[in-house]
Amino acid sequence: MEFFKNNNIKIKLDVVKEAIIDYRSDGKKLMRKLAEKYGLDIENKKDYEKLISRNNEEIPINGELSKRWNYAFHGCECGFYNKKHKQQVEVVLSNQPEFGQINSWFLLSYMKSTEKYKKEIEEIN
């Protein structure tokens, strides 16, 4: 089993890989759901630009995505927050529909707020 080790803290690499896959998947699902809410298709470049444009007054900068999720555009990202489970998913808005790179800070926030990964990263800050 391979580990990533930093300051005597070990993290299983297969857990990190799984978290990255889940994080990416959750972000894509939430962005699709947000686009659908406003009758847009994120696969369509023009629709995607309408969704993320801060000049589009039809789409609020933040709001309720569903009964469970809120969203908020900020900078070049969109943050999603699960009201029940307190889960956080940040999506980098570049390069739709893949949504840019995986940001290590956002990945750590995701893992800390996702029940499946909390115990794996307890000692990391």
Side-chain angles (χ1 to χ4, degrees):
M1 183 176 301
E2 291 186 62
F3 290 92
F4 169 77
K5 186 176 178 184
N6 187 9
N7 297 334
N8 295 322
I9 298 170
K10 288 183 178 180
I11 303 173
K12 297 173 192 162
L13 290 179
D14 59 331
V15 171
V16 174
K17 180 181 176 183
E18 185 178 351
I20 289 170
I21 292 167
D22 288 349
Y23 172 68
R24 181 64 130 301
S25 175
D26 289 350
K28 287 179 182 182
K29 286 177 196 170
L30 290 164
M31 284 300 293
R32 281 189 173 81
K33 198 170 193 175
L34 183 59
E36 288 170 9
K37 176 180 176 131
Y38 294 104
L40 300 169
D41 174 11
I42 62 169
E43 301 289 334
N44 179 298
K45 189 165 179 66
K46 286 184 181 182
D47 276 5
Y48 184 70
E49 291 298 323
K50 284 181 192 176
L51 178 66
I52 67 170
S53 173
R54 296 304 88 223
N55 295 329
N56 185 350
E57 295 178 4
E58 296 174 15
I59 300 174
I61 196 166
N62 57 45
E64 189 174 81
L65 175 60
S66 67
K67 290 183 180 186
R68 290 188 176 181
W69 290 94
N70 284 341
Y71 74 92
F73 287 101
H74 57 94
C76 296
E77 294 89 25
C78 184
F80 295 92
Y81 179 74
N82 185 296
K83 296 176 264 187
K84 181 177 180 182
H85 300 290
K86 312 286 189 251
Q87 185 181 30
Q88 298 175 351
V89 180
E90 293 282 344
V91 175
V92 178
L93 297 173
S94 61
N95 192 32
Q96 107 288 353
E98 296 303 319
F99 308 112
Q101 76 281 357
I102 300 280
N103 177 298
S104 59
W105 178 259
F106 292 156
L107 177 61
L108 182 60
S109 295
Y110 173 79
M111 291 178 77
K112 284 184 173 185
S113 66
T114 303
E115 198 61 43
K116 181 177 178 180
Y117 301 111
K118 283 181 183 179
K119 289 207 183 293
E120 299 288 342
I121 56 159
E122 284 177 328
E123 298 177 33
I124 298 175
N125 54 25

